[in-house]
Amino acid sequence: MEAPAALVIAHPDDETLAAGAVLPLFRNLLIVQVTDGAPRNLADANAAGFATAGTYAEARAHELQAALSIGGVHAQRTTLGAADQGAAHAMPELARALAAVLQEHGAQAILTHAYEGGHPDHDATALITAAAARLAGIETLVEFPLYHAAEQGWALATFLPGPEATTLDLTPEERARKRAMLAAFTTQRSTLAQFPVAQERFRPAPAHDFTAPPHPGQPLYERHGWGLDFPRWQALAAAARDALAE
């Protein structure tokens, strides 16, 4: 794939979970990381053996570079610098910054998170990417699923109802390479071990109403205390919509 493209992710490892098998096919790829992957409450940092958010973020950045090297992925990288679990609180600013980055790269297509109520940073990334694509005049916007709430725990790598999706069945070699890429994220080992690696799914991003619930019932992030509840998300999404319409 020769045309300039961008992959916009919330955290290090999202790119591998979503598209680890297809990323080596891109010849002019920019990976934009919205957050630094380090929640400021330090619970995740401390659990991984780090005393500060900064050192934890550095470790996650090194893991990402290792994973891309293992996968044979050649891409430019940049970060917008939001705090993990904090992207929803700065969506207008992040959308404008992202639009500038996309225009500088000359991106003709963008791949990013689906709006699915899984992690607040994932939903914020979906919103800011849709807004940035509009601001930058980029028409091709494709989304991938990571996780959302289900009756029994999480639904992994499965879209909520919407446009028809393309499912790629990975070859044994692609599966092995993706597993090796995921293994590079040593700080996330227990979480990533839950995800399947046999398929990757993509679909055209619909015109999401980010102020409406992505699905009936409680968003997954409310169950886990990831810094937000839906009424607060709804207010932030409405404010971002209004600010970006100006």
Side-chain angles (χ1 to χ4, degrees), residues 14-22 144-146 156-159 165-172 174-176 178-179 182 194-202:
D14 291 340
E15 74 302 316
T16 303
L17 286 173
V22 302
F144 55 77
L146 285 186
L156 301 174
T158 302
F159 280 115
T166 296
T167 299
L168 303 180
D169 294 316
L170 307 190
T171 66
E174 289 170 334
R175 295 180 193 183
K178 185 164 180 170
R179 289 191 189 96
L182 291 171
Q194 303 173 64
F195 284 81
V197 298
Q199 297 176 321
E200 293 180 351
R201 294 182 172 89
F202 309 97

Side-chain angles (χ1 to χ4, degrees), residues 51-65:
T52 68
T55 54
Y56 184 44
E58 290 175 5
R60 297 202 67 186
H62 288 310
E63 290 172 348
L64 173 54
Q65 186 55 56

Side-chain angles (χ1 to χ4, degrees), residues 151-162:
E151 288 187 11
Q152 302 296 325
W154 302 16
L156 301 174
T158 302
F159 280 115
L160 292 166

